[in-house]
Amino acid sequence: MTTLIPTAAPRPASLDAVLAYAWDAADFTATDAMEATGLTRTTAIDAMDALVELGLLRELPNAREAGSYRKGRPARRFELRDDAAVLVGVDAGHVHVTVVVTDLRSRPLATQRRTLELDRDDGATRRALILAAIDDALGTAHKDRADVLAVCIGVPAPVNSLGRSPRHPTGFWARMNPDLIDALAWAPLVRVDNDASLAAVAEGTIGAAAGCRDYIALLAGARLGAGVVVDGNVLRGAHGGVGEMVAFDHVEGVGSADGLGTRAAAWALAAVAGGELSPGGALAAVPPTELDGRAVLELAAHGDADARAVVERVGGVLARIVSVLGSMFDPERVVVSGAISAGVDEVVAAARRSLPTDLDLPAPELVISRLGADVVVTGAIAAASVMARDRALDFRTAAARG
């Protein structure tokens, strides 16, 4: 078990420089650290020894002890103690909760998935289930709360800079974020954020927007949500409301914040009820109870004419959404993210064909995420890693000497 204890400040900048280098390096010597950081040999060695004392680096056997020493004085070698603490990322969705526990290098140690009972969807029950899922994931990784350095959790609600959500007319946002910032106060570093914003973090870190400074991650399965990145920064707003899509209720040709999957299912069911489908067609053969967005998208991908007609209509709506987002935020790229991305190729192709060519600003590039349903928890781990890198030196671990 790791015990994380706040350390005294201030500290030499050399510690931050060497730790930042060590976080991405394999084993290294003082010479390696000097070349990477520009520090003198004495300063680099002092920093490495201090980081060993803090439990964040470990000294490895030297070349003589490792059996590869030839002649001369063997160099001391070090590496990051990636087991000094763990990171926790959580996607606390409306229906599903996913928890991932990783080491300090973001390598997964355990994953826990839960499905929530919507008829018991009150804030207290949700909070307890989320905490239980975190504890179970930690247990699977043979860790507990005392081992955690940073937790990041994504929720389907706007979240302000303090980790709290504003009031919603139906109380939905309070149920999705039932004071989680307080419930997670046992962790040294905590971030509660909007799920689409964390999807944007994931896309910019290892996804379809890597290297891009102006982009939008569009979660578009059941409901629309957007993580907006401008000049390399995730936008939040006074109440965390940047990226909330309720404004589309008032946009002609869109009409609501319903996601792509929801629209595909609704329009397919309407076509069934209206007798508009081809007799004997694949779409007509799907029982109404099984006719969801994924089924429509799969049939379209296999060439069913009725499903393709629905998809073409959904693509037209996506084009309108992208056009509005483009005029509001001027992104270089819009990434369709989340579970829906696995089968949305036909919708995106239709949207590209429908994108207006007479916009005042160039239309954003429309691309599909390859991070799948775990995009939010991937972003949560990435955000937790940033917190850990920035503030690991604020804590002394149980691995520390003395």
Side-chain angles (χ1 to χ4, degrees), residues 48-98:
M48 290 187 293
D49 285 338
L51 290 170
V52 170
E53 293 286 336
L54 288 170
L56 291 169
L57 292 188
R58 66 164 57 90
E59 185 168 2
L60 301 171
N62 62 38
R64 178 184 290 114
E65 294 169 340
S68 59
Y69 170 63
R70 294 181 182 276
K71 62 182 179 178
R73 182 178 180 181
R76 297 171 67 194
R77 298 184 304 126
F78 300 82
E79 69 176 2
L80 177 73
R81 286 204 61 153
D82 50 34
D83 60 349
V86 297
L87 312 177
V88 179
V90 186
D91 175 8
H94 186 197
V95 179
H96 302 287
V97 173
T98 301

Side-chain angles (χ1 to χ4, degrees), residues 28-375:
F28 61 94
T29 65
T31 299
D32 297 327
M34 289 167 51
E35 292 175 352
T37 63
L39 299 172
T40 65
R41 176 173 292 277
T42 297
T43 302
I45 291 174
D46 287 347
M48 290 187 293
D49 285 338
L51 290 170
V52 170
E53 293 286 336
L54 288 170
L56 291 169
L57 292 188
R58 66 164 57 90
E59 185 168 2
L60 301 171
N62 62 38
R64 178 184 290 114
E65 294 169 340
S68 59
Y69 170 63
R70 294 181 182 276
K71 62 182 179 178
R73 182 178 180 181
R76 297 171 67 194
R77 298 184 304 126
F78 300 82
E79 69 176 2
L80 177 73
R81 286 204 61 153
D82 50 34
D83 60 349
V86 297
L87 312 177
V88 179
V90 186
D91 175 8
H94 186 197
V95 179
H96 302 287
V97 173
T98 301
V99 180
V100 175
V101 177
T102 76
D103 65 16
L104 289 182
R105 292 191 193 268
S106 301
R107 292 180 295 213
L109 302 175
T111 299
Q112 187 74 215
R113 301 182 192 274
R114 298 284 177 86
T115 299
L116 303 180
E117 299 178 23
L118 295 184
D119 60 349
R120 298 181 59 200
D121 189 22
D122 63 275
T125 300
R126 172 174 288 268
R127 183 170 57 247
L129 288 170
I130 291 169
L131 291 174
I134 292 173
D135 288 336
D136 287 349
L138 288 169
T140 301
H142 306 291
K143 305 290 183 180
D144 61 27
R145 291 184 181 186
D147 295 298
V148 176
L149 174 58
V151 178
C152 180
I153 180 168
V155 297
V159 182
N160 67 17
S161 60
L162 301 176
R164 304 191 186 278
S165 297
R167 285 188 175 186
H168 185 270
T170 69
F172 179 74
W173 292 339
R175 294 198 306 276
M176 296 302 100
N177 181 17
D179 295 321
L180 292 172
I181 194 72
D182 299 325
L184 296 169
W186 48 264
L189 303 171
V190 183
R191 174 174 170 178
V192 180
D193 213 333
N194 171 258
D195 53 3
S197 294
L198 292 179
V201 171
E203 297 295 354
T205 303
I206 60 170
C212 183
R213 291 180 54 80
D214 300 279
Y215 64 93
I216 292 174
L218 183 65
L219 290 180
R223 297 278 293 176
L224 297 174
V228 181
V229 176
V230 175
D231 295 333
N233 299 305
V234 179
L235 300 188
R236 184 185 300 277
H239 307 96
V242 172
E244 282 299 309
M245 301 285 98
V246 69
F248 282 110
D249 290 355
H250 310 288
V251 175
E252 184 178 354
V254 182
S256 76
D258 288 341
L260 307 181
T262 298
R263 291 173 193 270
W267 289 338
L269 286 168
V272 170
E276 302 169 12
L277 302 183
S278 304
L283 188 58
V286 179
T289 55
E290 299 178 14
L291 193 52
D292 58 11
R294 186 173 298 278
V296 177
L297 296 178
E298 288 178 354
L299 289 175
H302 286 88
D304 179 75
D306 292 322
R308 290 182 69 87
V310 172
V311 162
E312 194 73 24
R313 185 179 174 188
V314 175
V317 171
L318 176 58
R320 182 65 61 92
I321 292 167
V322 171
S323 299
V324 172
L325 293 174
S327 68
M328 292 174 63
F329 298 109
D330 190 22
E332 175 186 341
R333 193 171 301 163
V334 173
V335 184
V336 180
S337 300
I340 192 71
S341 64
V344 81
D345 298 73
E346 300 294 329
V347 174
V348 169
R352 289 174 180 149
R353 293 191 295 269
S354 299
L355 278 172
T357 58
D358 57 350
L359 298 174
D360 292 335
L361 294 170
E365 178 187 13
L366 182 59
V367 300
I368 302 170
S369 172
R370 298 304 175 195
L371 298 181
D374 283 342
V375 64

Side-chain angles (χ1 to χ4, degrees), residues 13-23 28 33 37 39 44 47-48 51 57:
S14 57
L15 269 66
D16 294 271
V18 172
L19 182 61
Y21 167 69
W23 212 290
F28 61 94
T37 63
L39 299 172
M48 290 187 293
L51 290 170
L57 292 188

